[in-house]
């Protein structure tokens, strides 16, 4: 099954390139730790992602293009120091970068902190950690030659709050987006991708 999935990746890249779309890199899986049912995803443990990339994805893609960039993790910034570091170290040259998302970073509200439970509330009440900005630089320092890419961000994603959807002229959205871009770049991210501007 994983060989077939790797072939689909290869075909995807090949077809896009044939249509004139430059594809310089891919992530191994969007949000491998998230299963909401709201979008397609395949849950992958760290070991499963390591096996997937090392044995199937990297060999398949690099057979056609040895220079294509493969990014791992592609999940919350709060998992960089634990899961992402483990996966990237285990993969070595089979992966080129670590992708991560901004959602639990709260749009850079807590610039350079380590992941923590908000307001020191009990884990049973608030299971998700927030923050993680300090881990962007820390991971970059621990993985020489590996680039960091903030691969998915958007304003208006906070389901269950009044901060959902577009708001033309909303300066809060602009501020949080600009602030997040700057702290990521300051902490050695190679780039920052707004999901709403992606093709």
């Amino acid at each position: 099954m994983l060989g077939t999935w790797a072939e689909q990746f290869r075909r995807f890249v090949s077809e896009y390139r044939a249509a004139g779309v430059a594809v310089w890199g891919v992530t191994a899986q969007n949000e491998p730790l998230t299963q909401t049912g709201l979008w397609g995803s395949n849950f992958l443990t760290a070991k499963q992602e390591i096996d997937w990339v090392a044995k199937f994805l990297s060999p398949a893609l690099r057979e056609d293009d040895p220079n294509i960039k493969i990014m791992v993790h592609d999940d919350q910034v709060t998992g960089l120091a634990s899961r992402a570091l483990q996966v990237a170290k285990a993969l070595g040259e089979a992966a080129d970068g670590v992708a991560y998302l901004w959602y639990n970073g709260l749009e850079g509200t807590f610039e350079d902190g380590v992941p923590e439970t908000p307001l020191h509330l009990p884990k049973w009440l608030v299971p998700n950690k927030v923050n993680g900005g300090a881990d962007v630089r820390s991971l970059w320092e621990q993985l020489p030659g590996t680039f960091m890419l903030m691969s998915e961000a958007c304003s208006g994603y906070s389901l269950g709050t009044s901060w959902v959807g577009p708001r033309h002229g909303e300066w809060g959205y602009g501020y949080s987006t600009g602030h997040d871009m700057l702290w990521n770049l300051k902490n050695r991210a190679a780039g920052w991708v707004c999901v709403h501007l992606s093709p």
Side-chain angles (χ1 to χ4, degrees):
M1 180 177 95
L2 293 177
T4 302
W5 190 17
E7 272 305 308
Q8 283 300 110
F9 262 82
R10 192 157 121 181
R11 183 173 176 203
F12 175 87
V13 170
S14 176
E15 293 292 331
Y16 262 72
R17 286 178 172 168
V21 178
V23 179
W24 63 269
V26 299
T27 63
Q29 172 62 52
N30 178 50
E31 298 192 45
L33 299 176
T34 306
Q35 291 295 302
T36 63
L38 297 174
W39 53 85
S41 183
N42 293 310
F43 180 83
L44 295 174
T45 66
K47 182 180 182 331
Q48 288 170 327
E49 185 169 12
I50 292 164
D51 289 346
W52 155 238
V53 173
K55 295 175 183 174
F56 300 96
L57 183 63
S58 183
L61 293 180
R62 293 200 167 136
E63 185 178 320
D64 289 347
D65 180 0
N67 297 314
I68 193 163
K69 303 300 180 198
I70 298 172
M71 292 161 278
V72 296
H73 184 60
D74 204 19
D75 215 309
Q76 301 303 326
V77 67
T78 51
L80 289 177
S82 55
R83 184 187 186 282
L85 181 61
Q86 175 190 356
V87 171
K89 276 188 169 183
L91 285 168
E93 292 184 7
D96 305 287
V98 174
Y100 61 96
L101 316 180
W102 87 332
Y103 304 108
N104 287 355
L106 297 180
E107 294 107 351
T109 303
F110 309 106
E111 277 184 40
D112 293 321
V114 296
E116 62 185 341
T117 302
L119 306 174
H120 305 288
L121 295 169
K123 189 171 181 171
W124 62 266
L125 183 61
V126 182
N128 290 331
K129 293 186 175 192
V130 298
N131 208 345
D135 292 342
V136 175
R137 180 182 295 261
S138 174
L139 201 71
W140 179 82
E141 290 169 347
Q142 293 179 65
L143 297 168
T146 301
F147 69 91
M148 307 288 296
L149 179 67
M150 208 303 301
S151 60
E152 184 179 325
C154 64
S155 289
Y157 69 89
S158 299
L159 301 176
T161 73
S162 61
W163 278 67
V164 176
R167 290 186 178 179
H168 301 290
E170 172 59 65
W171 284 102
Y173 279 10
Y175 175 82
S176 65
T177 300
H179 189 256
D180 191 72
M181 280 183 200
L182 292 175
W183 79 253
N184 273 283
L185 296 173
K186 177 182 83 173
N187 282 308
R188 304 292 189 253
W192 191 96
V193 179
C194 179
V195 73
H196 293 261
L197 300 178
S198 302

